Amino acid sequence: MTKRFTAVISAEVDHSYGDFRARREATVWQRWNRVLLTLLLLSVWLVIVSLFVPPYKKLQIGHADIDKLQAQRDEQQALLSHQTREVNLLKTDPAYLETIARDRLDLMKEGETIFRVESAAGNNRKSLDSAKR
């Protein structure tokens, strides 16, 4: 009877060891499945990002170009309005025309003496310009 009892116990022990081994192998496969699933999701995410990053960079560059062009347009519009105002003043205001003629063209009335007072910065600028030539 002891032999029979020993055989039954050893069969039970082998069976429980087999379950442990099967469970261990199952957990190893589950871990591999999780790792592979994580790698798959990571690769899909990287593909999606790589598809959308270059167009997004082009969009940002386009916005920067638009902002730069709008600033240039605003500057040109300001210059145009200033020059339009000056042309209107030259056509309609004789006092302004006289001031511009005296200042820019160095014109003067008969019997008039003009004294020009220039700042030190103006003298330095002229000396630098003549030194460059």
Side-chain angles (χ1 to χ4, degrees), residues 58-91:
K58 284 183 183 180
L59 180 68
Q60 292 298 326
I61 291 170
H63 285 305
D65 289 343
I66 288 172
D67 292 341
K68 189 169 114 180
L69 290 173
Q70 284 177 344
Q72 285 178 352
R73 182 201 64 201
D74 294 342
E75 183 181 319
Q76 292 296 322
Q77 283 179 343
L79 180 64
L80 177 65
S81 67
H82 175 70
Q83 289 178 345
T84 303
R85 183 174 178 263
E86 188 173 352
V87 167
N88 286 338
L89 284 173
L90 286 171
K91 286 182 179 179

Side-chain angles (χ1 to χ4, degrees), residues 30-48:
Q30 288 173 351
R31 286 182 187 160
W32 274 109
N33 283 338
R34 285 185 200 145
V35 168
L36 290 176
L37 181 64
T38 304
L39 290 175
L40 179 68
L41 291 175
L42 182 65
S43 64
V44 167
W45 182 78
L46 287 174
V47 167
I48 290 171

